[in-house]
Amino acid sequence: MAERTVVLVTGGGRGIGAAVVRLAARRGWDVAFTYAGNAARAAETEAAARDAGAQVLAMQADVADPRAVAATFAAVEARFGRLDALVNNAGITGPKATLRESTDAVWEQVFRTNVLGLAACCREALARLPAGGAIVNVSSRASQIGGGGEWIHYAASKGAVDTLTIGLAKEAAAQGVRVNAVNPGLIDTELHAMAGMPDRVARMSAAVPMARGGSAEEVAEAVLWLLSDAASYVTGALLPVSGGR
Ligand code: NAP
């Protein structure tokens, strides 16, 4: 029987992260995932992954808190004794704001979560991943579109994620670890409502060349491909999953 491999997904309770957790479980991975505070949704995701045959470890852990990140990786090691892949999915937009409206506190919170938290997870993962291991960062098409008038702070944080992905792919190649990013476009999750724009996907769909928003499952498919051996010569790639947007 093939050995079971272990993936850690940050922000796996809802949305894109939950779709990654469910699909990874169906593809034969054991799965650890974190969430920020919504224990009920995390429990649903955990149950679905278990039903798909995976061993699952769900943990409340704020990716912006370095001590929580260290504790997360220690818990994965204690439970599974190995880590084969990391999906850095946890991310926040902060409120809708132009640069002039935004505050340092918003920039700090968004960068602490989306950039510093992600970098800390990469550091912990690289100390553990074997040759053949992989990291996928969930960035955003906002890094290229710029987020002007909506959430420029968020777009700038995803620009940092793109650049980190390219640089870290070069550093980690010697270790046999691949590092890639997906750049989702307009994806139908609760993220938009949390930023105060519940109708955002419907309102902006017409501006997408494919004329619709995407689903969390469509992003998860791209993530699982980048994690798989089918992508064995792919590193440092930024893969748009955006319907052409
Ligand atoms: P979502 O529906 O809001 O779900 C976010 C998930 O991340 C939740 O499980 C949440 O936990 C968790 N989370 C949030 N902050 C966290 C923190 N500080 N520490 C640990 N976990 C945290 O968001 P989504 O739409 O799935 O987005 C996931 C990723 O895709 C993000 O990086 C986002 O920037 C990126 N993305 C999304 C879109 C889109 O259109 N939706 C487009 C491009 C990129 P709780 O459930 O406990 O709150």
Side-chain angles (χ1 to χ4, degrees):
M1 215 168 101
E3 251 187 323
R4 289 187 71 87
T5 45
V6 177
V7 60
L8 169 62
V9 182
T10 65
R14 296 182 287 115
I16 293 169
V20 170
V21 168
R22 288 168 191 244
L23 188 58
R26 293 208 299 276
R27 298 266 166 91
W29 294 78
D30 287 333
V31 187
F33 74 88
T34 62
Y35 60 95
N38 194 331
R41 296 293 290 281
E44 281 172 28
T45 303
E46 184 179 359
R50 274 219 177 95
D51 287 349
Q55 291 192 58
V56 189
L57 175 63
M59 296 163 280
Q60 189 284 323
D62 180 357
V63 79
D65 173 356
R67 277 174 307 184
V69 169
T72 297
F73 281 81
V76 172
E77 203 160 289
R79 169 70 184 272
F80 295 106
R82 64 187 291 165
L83 179 69
D84 301 280
L86 167 68
V87 178
N88 279 310
N89 166 79
I92 55 169
T93 61
K96 179 178 186 295
T98 62
L99 180 76
R100 291 187 66 183
E101 290 160 353
S102 68
T103 61
D104 283 353
V106 165
W107 281 78
E108 272 177 25
Q109 192 198 3
V110 170
F111 271 68
R112 207 166 279 289
T113 305
N114 296 2
V115 184
L116 275 71
L118 179 145
C121 289
C122 288
R123 197 179 295 121
E124 292 281 353
L126 282 176
R128 294 168 170 85
L129 291 176
I135 296 174
V136 175
N137 295 325
V138 181
S139 181
S140 172
R141 283 294 292 155
S143 67
Q144 294 298 306
I145 294 167
E150 274 197 322
W151 41 36
I152 192 166
H153 43 279
Y154 169 72
S157 77
K158 294 299 190 178
V161 171
D162 286 359
T163 304
L164 181 148
T165 301
I166 293 165
L168 190 59
K170 291 178 176 153
E171 291 186 6
Q175 193 178 324
V177 171
R178 296 179 300 104
V179 184
N180 292 290
V182 291
N183 296 71
L186 197 60
I187 308 300
D188 197 4
T189 69
E190 292 156 31
L191 168 140
H192 313 279
M194 287 178 76
M197 296 181 278
D199 64 339
R200 185 168 180 267
V201 174
R203 181 166 45 81
M204 294 177 65
S205 286
V208 178
M210 285 181 72
R212 66 172 178 87
S215 69
E217 289 72 24
E218 288 175 305
V219 181
E221 287 286 353
V223 171
L224 264 293
W225 177 72
L226 286 169
L227 289 182
S228 77
D229 288 342
S232 56
Y233 199 51
V234 181
T235 197
L238 310 176
L239 176 61
V241 185
S242 62
R245 183 160 177 261

